[in-house]
Amino acid sequence: MPVARAFEERLTPLLPELAATYGTPFHIYDEAGIASTHTELAAAFGGIPFRQFFAVKALPTPAILEVLVRAGSGLDCSSPAELELATRAGAHGRDVMFTSNNTTLSEYRLAVNAGAYVTFDDIRILEHVDVLPDVVSFRMGASVFQSARDAENPMSDGGRSKFGIPVHAIKEAYSVARDRGGSRFGIHGMPIANVLDVDRFVAVATRLIGIAAELRDELGIAFEYVNLGGGIGIPYRTGDRAFPVRTFAAAVMDELRAAFPTDLPTIFMECGRYVTGPHGVLVTRISNCLVKETPTVGVDASMSALLRTGMYRNAYHHISSPLADSRPLVAVDVVGSLCENNDYFGVDRELPDPQEGDILLIHDTGAHGHSMGFTYNGRLRPGELMLTRSGEVVEIRRPEVFDDYTATVLWRPRTVLP
Ligand SMILES: Cc1ncc(COP(=O)(O)O)c(C=O)c1O
């Protein structure tokens, strides 16, 4: 979607100087927008105990995590490196959620020792675990939430999921935990990502709350929290409607009160995309107006800076040319420099008659953007900037250089087996 108006109004006048002095490409994020979206999400659930844990994987840059921690967010981690990052960003103990999958015992212990909430993604690890966490939580497998419409979602797993406990095993998982002395419980469910259909998300939340209530009744256990995961979508396309988070929260609160009239669990969420996605853009410059079968412009960023359009069928990022608005529109493909045929940011995009040197904005790169980047072809990841509340632009991650590209290389091989 077009970048938020407040961000656009503050960013556009800065672009010529920023591009000239800092150079392109770079991602830039809006501090005020990120903090206020977090606050609005938490406020929507104001009637009940609620906590949002930002999914670190979406934007694992310390300055952004610190903005969120200061705004009251917890952090959701999925690996030891993310746990360490969360600690360094100021999140400790119960400010941290650990929702991993295919987890090793040492990773599990690290999270428990950090005092984090831990979500078990599989029942097998229970056999290896010596000490249970004080609150035991399992992730529900996705099949129980599946809807025919999910097949259209670019991130759909097509009905085969590596995540969570299959529905036939969920009761056993909780009873094993209870028999091993577990007395405090949570439950997690996140079937799909980037959901804009509020009815669909309410149906998922209702199903999860219902499963928790059934487990309570059948096993005589109490739930301290229901974790709805992440997955709230953002309107990447201009015609998309924003997710009505207040309507969603109101429906979830009604379902929760109906299912748990006397012992209301806390609602947790682990949203990433919804919180930071719309508050970031990738700023890139047209390096070449190419001569191809179809009109094509090459920019100085590649899929290595934003994988989504190359990776997911149907993934879309709006592209604009804010400093050339007055020119007539021309439809072009926008490509990077990777030796890969999916290195496209957009196909048939109408832009003001593109010229070499024009600055383009690729929108909604605030989540799963830079963090999914890579260095294939030696096309190194760009830097990250933040537009602060006061209007200052600060660098929060520098662009990679050749020494980063080769940082793990042993120029002189080290003997491993003589
Ligand atoms: C377990 C878990 N929680 C939260 C998220 C965040 O999802 P989103 O950024 O779509 O809200 C993800 C995304 O992959 C996830 O796997």
Side-chain angles (χ1 to χ4, degrees):
M1 78 174 170
V3 56
R5 187 177 291 274
F7 186 25
E8 183 178 23
E9 279 173 3
R10 290 186 302 135
L11 178 63
T12 308
L14 307 177
L15 281 175
E17 193 186 341
L18 255 185
T21 57
Y22 186 76
T24 53
F26 57 86
H27 290 269
I28 182 163
Y29 312 112
D30 178 23
E31 178 186 10
I34 289 172
S36 73
T37 299
H38 166 80
T39 305
E40 283 158 24
L41 175 61
F45 284 91
I48 55 161
F50 173 82
R51 187 106 201 255
Q52 147 71 7
F53 297 79
F54 176 71
V56 170
K57 59 175 84 73
L59 185 43
T61 305
I64 301 293
L65 300 180
E66 283 164 10
V67 166
L68 287 163
V69 169
R70 278 198 299 274
S73 180
L75 298 179
D76 167 50
C77 304
S78 60
S79 64
E82 288 185 359
L83 272 177
E84 178 65 29
L85 204 57
T87 307
R88 294 199 195 190
H92 304 283
R94 290 303 199 221
D95 293 333
V96 180
M97 176 71 65
F98 189 66
T99 304
S100 56
N101 68 90
N102 188 22
T103 312
T104 63
L105 195 54
S106 64
E107 291 171 349
Y108 162 81
R109 287 191 180 130
L110 210 61
V112 169
N113 291 340
Y117 286 107
V118 173
T119 312
F120 287 112
D121 180 79
D122 195 272
I123 192 165
R124 181 49 58 88
I125 193 169
L126 270 191
E127 293 167 19
H128 306 299
V129 158
D130 33 13
V131 182
L132 286 180
D134 25 327
V135 186
V136 180
S137 174
F138 294 97
R139 177 173 182 171
M140 274 302 307
S143 60
V144 73
F145 307 108
Q146 223 74 57
S147 127
R149 269 175 300 167
D150 290 344
E152 290 154 29
N153 188 300
M155 276 147 274
S156 169
D157 56 35
R160 171 179 286 158
S161 179
K162 71 165 191 151
F163 301 116
I165 315 284
V167 65
H168 65 80
I170 193 72
K171 191 169 160 192
E172 188 200 344
Y174 280 95
S175 62
V176 168
R178 182 199 55 189
D179 295 347
R180 287 196 48 190
S183 58
R184 302 169 62 194
F185 296 94
I187 191 166
H188 180 287
M190 177 178 167
I192 205 162
N194 197 28
V195 177
L196 282 176
D197 175 352
V198 68
D199 295 337
R200 171 80 185 103
F201 213 139
V202 169
V204 166
T206 303
R207 186 84 178 92
L208 188 64
I209 291 167
I211 291 167
E214 280 165 33
L215 290 165
R216 172 201 58 196
D217 296 342
E218 290 174 22
L219 299 175
I221 59 176
F223 279 89
E224 296 195 5
Y225 68 82
V226 175
N227 186 343
L228 303 178
I232 298 182
I234 58 170
Y236 285 105
R237 292 172 190 265
T238 34
D240 288 344
R241 296 178 65 168
F243 186 84
V245 77
R246 285 189 167 271
T247 309
F248 173 66
V252 168
M253 290 191 286
D254 284 350
E255 293 296 338
L256 196 72
R257 289 189 185 106
F260 290 88
T262 55
D263 47 354
L264 208 64
T266 299
I267 290 287
F268 287 159
M269 290 204 79
E270 302 167 353
C271 295
R273 185 187 323 267
Y274 181 77
V275 177
T276 54
H279 304 298
V281 291
L282 174 59
V283 179
T284 183
R285 202 187 268 284
I286 297 180
S287 8
N288 291 295
C289 290
L290 300 162
V291 181
K292 303 292 171 194
E293 308 287 335
T294 51
T296 303
V297 298
V299 294
D300 61 6
S302 293
M303 183 168 73
S304 48
L306 176 68
L307 177 60
R308 293 191 71 258
T309 47
M311 176 159 164
Y312 298 120
R313 181 173 47 92
N314 296 342
Y316 180 97
H317 284 260
H318 185 71
I319 304 177
S320 65
S321 180
L323 304 178
D325 255 356
S326 55
R327 298 188 210 142
L329 295 178
V330 176
V332 292
D333 295 350
V334 180
V335 304
S337 306
L338 288 199
C339 305
E340 286 295 330
N341 214 10
N342 57 345
D343 183 23
Y344 278 73
F345 290 115
V347 173
D348 262 344
R349 295 300 181 83
E350 292 209 318
L351 290 172
D353 190 15
Q355 307 291 326
E356 290 173 6
D358 283 356
I359 292 171
L360 301 187
L361 299 190
I362 302 180
H363 295 228
D364 300 315
T365 67
H368 311 291
H370 187 282
S371 61
M372 289 177 90
F374 52 99
T375 59
Y376 181 59
N377 268 189
R379 296 290 175 187
L380 306 181
R381 281 167 288 219
E384 297 181 296
L385 306 178
M386 181 168 75
L387 179 58
T388 65
R389 290 167 205 269
S390 64
E392 196 187 1
V393 175
V394 292
E395 185 177 47
I396 55 178
R397 188 190 298 271
R398 63 163 173 76
E400 287 174 343
V401 294
F402 179 76
D403 282 349
D404 298 309
Y405 183 48
T406 55
T408 50
V409 164
L410 298 187
W411 294 97
R412 274 197 206 167
R414 177 178 69 86
T415 304
V416 177
L417 278 184

